[in-house]
């Protein structure tokens, strides 16, 4: 993990097209601003993990449904 120190209104540039700026510092919270192309998703970790969990559950449900469709098919 790269750890950098920044003050209010200072920025970090990632890959020439993403800018992260320290917008505000309050006690134990730091507000960050992100400038990135629209095709780059940006999520808080807890939101990202929820999205991933939902996607995995949907994938598992889909796989279970597909395997369930093959059951009971036999020759009469």
């Amino acid at each position: 993990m790269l750890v950098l120190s920044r003050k209010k209104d200072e920025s970090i540039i990632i890959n020439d097209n993403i800018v992260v700026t320290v917008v505000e510092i309050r006690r134990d919270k730091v507000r960050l601003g992100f400038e990135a192309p629209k095709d780059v998703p940006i999520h808080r970790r807890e939101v990202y993990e929820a999205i991933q969990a939902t996607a995995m559950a949907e994938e598992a449900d889909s796989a279970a449904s597909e395997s369930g469709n093959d059951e009971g098919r036999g020759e009469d």
Side-chain angles (χ1 to χ4, degrees), residues 6-64:
R6 299 279 74 199
K7 295 178 182 178
K8 183 179 176 189
D9 298 324
E10 292 183 337
S11 300
I12 298 166
I13 299 175
I14 302 170
N15 200 30
D16 294 329
N17 62 351
I18 299 172
V19 179
V20 181
T21 303
V22 178
V23 175
E24 185 176 11
I25 303 170
R26 286 189 193 171
R27 296 184 185 179
D28 64 339
K29 291 188 179 183
V30 176
R31 294 184 66 192
L32 302 174
F34 296 87
E35 295 176 45
K38 292 198 181 279
D39 64 331
V40 175
I42 301 173
H43 302 287
R44 294 187 323 261
R45 180 184 293 254
E46 62 273 16
V47 172
Y48 175 80
E49 289 172 352
I51 291 168
Q52 294 299 311
T54 300
M56 288 177 61
E58 288 174 358
E59 187 176 304
D61 288 346
S62 176

Side-chain angles (χ1 to χ4, degrees), residues 69-76:
N69 289 340
D70 292 339
E71 293 179 10
R73 291 189 182 178
E75 295 181 22
D76 291 330

